[in-house]
Amino acid sequence: MKKGARSAMKLLFVCLGNICRSPAAEGVFLHLLNQRGLSDRFVVDSAGTGGWHTGNPADRRMQAAAGRRGIQLPSRARQISLDDLSDFDLVLTMDDANLTAVQGLAREAGRRATATVRPMLSYAKRFTETEVPDPYYGGEAGFEHVLDLLEDACSNLLDELSSQA
């Protein structure tokens, strides 16, 4: 991952529609940055591989679940672009389909794609899942489980990135 002398590391969280999982990951990571006093060292955003929800806030059920943990979800949905693969240092995908889609974009971008692309749960330690499940069609417990997964993975991700700086 590239990192300039005093430039902020740029992270992009990616899911399918950018209204549940990736805005939650963005919110969890921002929350951890604020708690640890590291907000000035990172730029954080989220995007979806699809553009159906562009401009919309995070799903109200995800906002409610996050809010119960004191986590705000400030983003508006947007679709990932080829430029994101050169503008960000690290792109974190929520599931295998998103990983495949982002890797396809990276191939399309060619040498311009300088971002490292990794599955979000490659940073999880407390859970064995490899994909963050989409809670959209499920009940409240699904949103809570997604937040549990993301809190674990984001905390470990931040530990790793903080130790590299």
Side-chain angles (χ1 to χ4, degrees):
M1 287 173 262
K2 62 183 183 211
K3 181 146 170 59
R6 278 189 275 182
S7 65
M9 175 168 271
K10 298 177 180 179
L11 280 67
L12 180 65
F13 299 99
V14 179
C15 70
L16 184 61
N18 194 212
I19 59 166
C20 290
R21 297 170 290 171
S22 56
E26 177 186 359
V28 167
F29 199 81
L30 288 169
H31 184 75
L32 291 170
L33 289 175
N34 189 44
Q35 284 183 327
R36 297 185 193 187
L38 298 172
S39 297
D40 61 332
R41 293 182 44 196
F42 294 88
V43 172
V44 183
D45 197 4
S46 63
T49 56
W52 314 279
H53 302 291
T54 298
N56 292 341
D59 182 282
R60 62 176 175 72
R61 298 164 296 171
M62 185 55 85
Q63 288 191 48
R68 288 190 290 273
R69 298 177 188 219
I71 298 167
Q72 301 302 309
L73 307 182
S75 67
R76 293 274 175 170
R78 72 177 185 86
Q79 189 169 8
I80 189 171
S81 70
L82 291 177
D83 288 341
D84 288 329
L85 296 166
S86 58
D87 292 344
F88 287 88
D89 300 303
L90 182 59
V91 177
L92 297 142
T93 60
M94 298 300 132
D95 63 30
D96 292 343
N98 304 142
L99 178 62
T100 300
V102 172
Q103 288 170 334
L105 280 176
R107 282 191 298 279
E108 186 179 334
R111 288 187 294 183
R112 290 186 308 147
T114 55
T116 300
V117 179
R118 298 240 353 233
M120 182 74 235
L121 291 188
S122 66
Y123 292 95
K125 292 184 179 173
R126 291 182 16 233
F127 297 92
T128 58
E129 285 107 319
T130 58
E131 297 182 284
V132 179
D134 190 343
Y136 189 80
Y137 294 105
E140 188 175 306
F143 291 90
E144 295 295 338
H145 183 60
V146 165
L147 287 167
D148 290 342
L149 291 169
L150 293 174
E151 285 178 340
D152 177 35
C154 284
S155 180
N156 295 317
L157 169 63
L158 184 53
D159 289 346
E160 184 174 311
L161 295 177
S162 299
S163 71
Q164 293 173 3

